[in-house]
Amino acid sequence: MPPQLENLVERDQELARFDALVRAAASGNGACALVHGEAGVGKTTLIRAALRGAEASGMHVLWARGGELERDFPYGVVRQLFEGPLMAADAAERASLLEGAAGLAAPVLGFEPQGMSATAMDAPFAAVHGLYWLAAGLAATQPLVLAIDDLHWADAPSLRWLSYLVRRLEGVPLLVIAASRAGEPDPTGIIAGLEQEPLVSVMRPSSLSPAGVAEIVTSSSAAAMPEFCAACHRITAGNPFYLRELLDAAARAEIPPTAAGADRVDSLGPANVAVAVLTRMRQHGPRAEALARALAVLDADASLRGAAELAGVGKPAAAAELIDQLISAQILSAERSFQFVHPVVRTAVYQAIPPGERLRLHGAAFALLADDGAAPDRLARHLLVVEPGNDPRVVQTLRAAAAQAQTRGAPDLAARYLQRALAEARDPADRAAITHDLGNALLADRDPAWSEHLRRATELADDPATREAWTLELTRALAVAGRPVEAAEFATAALAEGITDPALAVRVESELLSMAWLMPSASPEGIVRLEQLEQTDVPAELQPLVVVHRALRITSEGGPAADAMRLADQAINGGVLLEERSSVPFVALATLIWNDDLERPRQLCNAALALAQQMGSQHLMVNGGAFGGLAALRAGRLAEAAGAAGLSYRFARDSAMPDSIDWAWALSTLLDSMRERGEIEAAQALLQAADAEGELPGHVTFVFLLESRGRLRCAQGRLREGADDLLESGRRWEPFGLLNPNVSAWRSDAAFALLHLGERDQAVQLADEELGLARTAGTARGIGVACRAGGIVHRDDELLAEATEVLAGSPARLEYAKAMCELGASGRRAGRRREVRELLLAALDLARRCTAAPLSERIRSELSAIGTRPRRDYLGGVGALTPGELRIARMAAEGRTNKDIAQALFVTLRTVETHLTHVYRKLDIESRAALSGALEGTPVAA
């Protein structure tokens, strides 16, 4: 018998690297080893050797293997890894493993959902996030190795999870070992991307040298001649698998390992491996060949009885004898039941099946497995190969498999199943439903074709109720996907054609009004539609969906804040915040924030972020972070604002729909909070990375971003560019009818820049306009900001005093500090030093609490000018915490564990631990118990 080549010739370097990675992972420094090489170079053998070392060091090993026919099985690789440990665990152990965010992985692995289920749109992210925490939880009980062979054949959902996991291995006692074959397609680009990750160590085992080949050949036959060894190296190019096949073929052909034999082995080279495999198989007769073919088709679904029946070789006992023959012929592995000795061998057997016979076998495999009660997703992969035949059972199976795939976060595979079902279905109602499901699968997969299918589904639906429900669904989906123009056009057309369900009609109208506020072209029409809707007989339970838009309209037009808040409260109390996958709740939140109700949105958004963690919801994470960040910014909680907006921005850029505009909203808040904290260079780098330096679209979110960019440029000293951005934002607000300076204070911001540019007349005009508008609206923050601007451009202490007075009772702490600073500075210039000292010290204290470094520096300079020398910097205290540290510190102070915090913020445990270490040092405390008191204190001066 030829050697099995388990002695790992010329692999000492790779084994040493594996040993180092195993020791590092066992001590808590997670990593990934990616073994990349040609077929047969010995990747599997190398990994098995590494795993023996890992087990010897006390690590727990879980193993999976991609399959050429398994790529259409959602999370097939993941399920190989984790189903076993979860099934082996008792109920208490399983509940512990699926606790918290890990519970999001339950549906992927065939268990009942833990807590709230993710929506189809969020399921892909929820799945990978939950699986990450499941892996981290297993590693916490015992250092863990996840080994994946034939990664190039892994299903796409498993690859997405692996990419997510690898980027978060820091601080986790987990080693990932994966092997992929060079030259194979990488349609997702994930395998290539893994090679660029900092925690990934890429190994490319080389072919054996002539000496290495000679060592293996002589271990098989001590009498092997150098000429024969050299011929073996030349023919196989040092590939271990091909060398084994060559030596096996030479032995079967009774070719001696001599100089004469060297001339005879040329005909047995790698090009003839498939021929040699088939020859060995066929030597055992047609029944053995039929059984091998059946096993190649069934692959992971193979069982002794099923293979025997599919091959038509009689009872299982007869099939067992044939399996023994195939093992002796080195077609099947003696170690792994019903598996081929190498993927190359299985491919050779499978590809040798005539095309027609292959179709028949897959069809028969479907019928066989279906009769055995196999799960739909196990059946679907066979149906993808079979030609359509108008079989209702096939349609039903594919739709069930698609539903499973959607629930498990594999919308790409769900879409494949549904496309195949669409080719099978003939019933019009079935086709409409399948088209609708396909659109939703493509939507969850971020495939641009999703809207086309959802539109088509509404056209195909015969039932008016179904068609109208799908109309609302599509309107909301277009809005959430960042396509408000299409959403508005579609909703307008649907309403013009007539919607018979009054409740649905009002909901579609409400969504349309939300879209109208986002687009300058639709805003005037939105005003008219709102007036018309208010004159219709809207049922009482749907009134909140109407009054919320009137509240926003009053706010944007600068009407009385009291009127807007009364309507906003009515809408919120009526349940408007409970509208799912809708833009309407955020209309209510914006109305609250722009009318100085900052604490309620902050609490609501924190609740939304907590819910986002439970559900794995990207939509809630993006919008909860954006609106929560805006409320925190306006309250002067700059570090909190930067943390929330930064989280929102990261999710919006990494995870949202390609056309999403949510990121611009989050970036606007993030830039403003960073600028106020003095992080000018970092803010500029972020702006450039977002490719937001040039022309910006006209949507509302981008008008806010344009303003923030203008303010940043002014802070950089680029006053002309900054003024131009701010004046342009004013022009862009005109079609929206926006007059309320508490929504947008572009006038006062532009006035400051123009004043420094020497354009005093225009600065005065803008400041005066803003003050008049602010007094009409009546919000304390709006009036205070406008009074401060007016006081500066007019050099009017009465206006500055009014700004200070009105802001003293408002939640806008940062604006209050700015007003006190300006009033103090004016008093200092007038020589009233004693009067302004306490005012400036109070302003400095508040600016420090807000972590507003530039403002603090400005106030210190004013105090220095009157002879007061405040301590210049602070090295500790709340003001020294970064946004991330402050957010984690507050969550820890609430009693949440490090694991809870990491899951809520979608970061690693190591990140939380590192941040808390910094927090303790900066706050000069030693324990978690002291956090609450320290966070309520003032910065510690140096």
Side-chain angles (χ1 to χ4, degrees):
M1 293 292 293
Q4 295 303 306
L5 307 185
E6 294 290 349
N7 54 343
L8 288 170
V9 172
E10 298 183 338
R11 295 292 184 256
D12 291 346
Q13 182 179 358
E14 288 85 355
L15 290 174
R17 291 175 68 185
F18 270 125
D19 182 60
L21 289 171
V22 166
R23 283 187 279 106
S27 64
N29 296 306
C32 172
L34 181 60
V35 185
H36 192 67
E38 65 180 5
V41 79
K43 301 183 293 295
T44 301
T45 303
L46 183 60
I47 286 178
R48 286 179 177 168
L51 296 183
R52 284 195 291 270
E55 288 179 323
S57 71
M59 299 187 77
H60 181 49
V61 173
L62 299 178
W63 168 277
R65 187 171 200 166
E68 194 172 7
L69 297 181
E70 291 287 290
R71 284 175 290 190
D72 296 319
F73 183 56
Y75 283 110
V77 164
V78 162
R79 292 165 72 174
Q80 288 181 57
L81 291 171
F82 296 120
E83 278 182 340
L86 285 177
M87 291 296 293
D90 61 33
E93 291 170 333
R94 189 180 306 131
S96 177
L97 288 172
L98 294 175
E99 185 181 25
L104 295 169
V108 174
L109 301 169
F111 295 95
E112 286 297 316
Q114 308 292 301
M116 299 188 67
S117 299
T119 64
M121 183 74 171
D122 291 317
F125 172 74
V128 297
H129 183 60
L131 288 165
Y132 166 78
W133 282 105
L134 173 61
L138 284 167
T141 61
Q142 181 182 358
L144 180 65
V145 180
L146 300 178
I148 306 172
D149 202 1
D150 292 327
L151 186 66
H152 50 280
W153 284 333
D155 58 282
S158 292
L159 286 173
R160 288 196 295 269
W161 160 75
L162 182 63
S163 176
Y164 187 88
L165 171 70
V166 165
R167 295 197 303 271
R168 293 162 176 82
L169 284 174
E170 185 181 4
V172 182
L174 194 160
L175 175 62
V176 175
I177 301 176
S180 67
R181 182 187 297 177
E184 289 288 332
D186 181 19
T188 64
I190 290 176
I191 296 177
L194 286 174
E195 296 187 19
Q196 309 305 315
E197 292 294 333
L199 293 180
V200 174
S201 177
V202 182
M203 302 183 192
R204 302 183 190 278
S206 59
S207 298
L208 300 174
S209 67
V213 169
E215 180 180 340
I216 290 174
V217 174
T218 54
S219 69
S220 175
S221 175
M225 301 295 290
E227 294 86 351
F228 186 82
C229 293
C232 288
H233 181 270
R234 173 175 52 79
I235 294 168
T236 65
N239 183 288
F241 175 75
Y242 293 147
L243 177 60
R244 186 182 71 184
E245 287 292 318
L246 181 68
L247 295 177
D248 178 74
R252 291 176 184 276
E254 298 182 350
I255 298 175
T258 62
D263 295 331
R264 296 174 56 193
V265 297
D266 277 319
S267 62
L268 305 177
N272 296 310
V273 166
V275 173
V277 167
L278 297 176
T279 298
R280 295 202 306 270
M281 178 180 67
R282 287 166 180 160
Q283 285 175 345
H284 294 275
R287 285 162 53 83
E289 180 177 6
L291 185 62
R293 287 180 172 183
L295 290 170
V297 167
L298 289 169
D299 203 10
D301 297 322
S303 66
L304 186 62
R305 184 191 64 79
E309 185 173 340
L310 186 62
V313 296
K315 295 182 178 181
E321 294 178 5
L322 296 173
I323 284 175
D324 289 339
Q325 295 175 30
L326 292 171
I327 290 172
S328 67
Q330 294 189 52
I331 303 297
L332 298 181
S333 169
E335 301 174 358
R336 292 163 289 152
S337 300
F338 313 127
Q339 289 192 22
F340 292 85
V341 294
H342 195 278
V344 170
V345 174
R346 196 210 69 83
T347 299
V349 173
Y350 184 77
Q351 292 183 346
I353 304 173
E357 175 66 5
R358 196 181 305 161
L359 290 176
R360 186 195 70 78
L361 285 172
H362 277 291
F366 162 68
L368 174 69
L369 294 170
D371 289 343
D372 284 348
D377 49 7
R378 301 299 322 179
L379 301 173
R381 71 181 187 89
H382 294 287
L383 295 176
L384 291 176
V385 181
V386 177
E387 290 293 319
N390 192 21
D391 185 340
R393 188 169 71 154
V394 168
V395 174
Q396 181 181 2
T397 299
L398 289 166
R399 290 190 67 186
Q404 279 186 338
Q406 279 280 69
T407 301
R408 291 170 175 170
D412 47 349
L413 293 181
R416 287 202 62 195
Y417 298 155
L418 291 166
Q419 286 163 340
R420 173 64 179 80
L422 205 55
E424 187 86 23
R426 295 293 179 270
D427 180 74
D430 281 347
R431 293 185 63 81
I434 294 169
T435 303
H436 173 260
D437 292 347
L438 175 57
N440 280 323
L442 295 172
L443 174 62
D445 196 37
R446 275 65 172 169
D447 189 311
W450 67 268
S451 59
E452 173 188 341
H453 287 85
L454 287 183
R455 285 177 186 271
R456 179 62 177 154
T458 61
E459 295 169 0
L460 291 173
D462 289 333
D463 175 38
T466 300
R467 181 170 60 252
E468 291 171 3
W470 290 354
T471 295
L472 175 62
E473 179 185 306
L474 178 53
T475 300
R476 288 178 168 176
L478 287 166
V480 170
R483 294 157 66 175
V485 175
E486 291 180 59
E489 290 176 348
F490 177 74
T492 301
L495 289 166
E497 291 177 7
I499 296 179
T500 58
D501 184 333
L504 277 173
V506 172
R507 282 189 160 84
V508 173
E509 281 278 12
S510 189
E511 296 297 330
L512 178 56
L513 291 172
S514 298
M515 296 308 99
W517 202 86
L518 290 173
M519 302 173 298
S521 59
S523 191
E525 181 184 347
I527 296 173
V528 174
R529 295 195 75 97
L530 176 57
E531 292 173 349
Q532 292 173 344
L533 184 59
E534 288 173 325
Q535 294 170 7
T536 61
D537 186 17
V538 175
E541 66 272 15
L542 299 174
Q543 281 291 338
L545 297 174
V546 180
V547 299
V548 70
H549 293 288
R550 174 51 63 191
L552 179 62
R553 181 53 56 189
I554 292 172
T555 300
S556 62
E557 292 176 350
D563 292 347
M565 287 298 293
R566 176 177 52 79
L567 294 173
D569 286 339
Q570 180 183 335
I572 291 170
N573 293 336
V576 75
L577 295 178
L578 302 178
E579 292 290 306
E580 296 183 2
R581 304 301 297 180
S582 168
S583 302
V584 176
F586 303 107
V587 172
L589 288 178
T591 302
L592 295 181
I593 292 170
W594 290 331
N595 285 287
D596 285 358
D597 184 341
L598 303 181
E599 187 57 29
R600 193 163 28 156
R602 184 168 165 263
Q603 293 175 353
L604 289 168
C605 288
N606 285 339
L609 291 175
L611 185 61
Q613 180 217 333
Q614 295 175 32
M615 297 178 60
S617 172
Q618 294 169 307
H619 176 67
L620 282 177
M621 183 59 63
V622 169
N623 287 287
F627 281 88
L630 179 61
L633 173 64
R634 289 189 164 226
R637 300 171 179 265
L638 298 180
E640 180 182 333
L647 187 67
S648 172
Y649 177 69
R650 174 164 58 86
F651 269 88
R653 288 301 263 185
D654 293 347
S655 314
M657 296 295 292
D659 299 319
S660 173
I661 56 177
D662 290 333
W663 66 268
W665 180 273
L667 181 58
S668 172
T669 299
L670 183 55
L671 290 176
D672 281 337
S673 58
M674 294 173 73
R675 174 183 51 79
E676 296 281 18
R677 286 170 57 85
E679 300 165 355
I680 304 300
E681 291 184 4
Q684 176 61 31
L686 192 62
L687 189 69
Q688 289 175 329
D691 195 23
E693 283 275 49
E695 184 69 17
L696 297 175
H699 298 152
V700 160
T701 53
F702 288 100
V703 184
F704 283 117
L705 179 56
L706 183 62
E707 285 186 40
S708 298
R709 188 178 77 183
R711 288 188 285 266
L712 177 61
R713 287 176 171 172
C714 289
Q716 294 170 316
R718 300 159 64 185
L719 295 174
R720 175 52 62 192
E721 296 172 83
D724 288 344
D725 275 352
L726 291 163
L727 293 171
E728 173 60 22
S729 68
R731 285 188 285 271
R732 293 191 179 197
W733 282 125
E734 289 178 7
F736 294 97
L738 182 87
L739 296 174
N740 191 338
N742 204 36
V743 176
S744 168
W746 67 268
R747 293 174 182 84
S748 57
D749 289 324
F752 296 142
L754 294 169
L755 191 64
H756 284 89
L757 289 167
E759 300 175 22
R760 179 177 173 76
D761 290 345
Q762 188 177 4
V764 168
Q765 177 189 346
L766 289 173
D768 289 347
E769 280 183 14
E770 179 159 317
L771 183 53
L773 293 168
R775 291 194 190 284
T776 301
T779 55
R781 180 183 176 278
I783 293 171
V785 169
C787 282
R788 178 170 63 88
I792 291 171
V793 299
H794 288 293
R795 298 174 185 166
D796 185 337
D797 280 6
E798 289 187 8
L799 284 175
L800 293 175
E802 183 182 353
T804 303
E805 182 180 349
V806 75
L807 286 167
S810 84
R813 298 289 81 194
L814 180 58
E815 296 303 331
Y816 181 35
K818 291 179 181 179
M820 286 193 290
C821 172
E822 294 299 340
L823 182 58
S826 179
R828 189 268 305 165
R829 289 191 295 268
R832 300 190 302 273
R833 296 189 174 193
R834 288 186 178 180
E835 295 179 24
V836 302
R837 182 179 182 276
E838 293 304 319
L839 184 67
L840 288 172
L841 285 173
L844 179 59
D845 177 67
L846 189 50
R848 283 176 167 179
R849 289 176 181 271
C850 293
T851 67
L855 179 60
S856 297
E857 180 66 26
R858 163 84 189 286
I859 300 169
R860 276 193 294 269
S861 69
E862 291 292 341
L863 284 165
S864 296
I866 62 172
T868 300
R869 296 284 190 270
R871 296 175 184 179
R872 185 167 186 78
D873 293 308
Y874 46 85
L875 300 178
V878 177
L881 301 181
T882 68
E885 289 166 354
L886 180 60
R887 190 174 185 86
I888 287 173
R890 283 185 171 154
M891 296 175 78
E894 293 169 358
R896 302 180 72 169
T897 66
N898 288 3
K899 183 178 179 181
D900 289 339
I901 296 168
Q903 291 180 354
L905 298 182
F906 302 92
V907 297
T908 65
L909 274 171
R910 174 65 63 84
T911 299
V912 175
E913 292 162 358
T914 301
H915 277 49
L916 284 176
T917 299
H918 295 163
V919 167
Y920 294 161
R921 185 182 68 247
K922 291 178 180 180
L923 297 183
D924 194 23
I925 60 176
E926 296 182 357
S927 71
R928 218 179 186 93
L931 268 175
S932 294
L935 290 174
E936 294 173 1
T938 58
V940 179

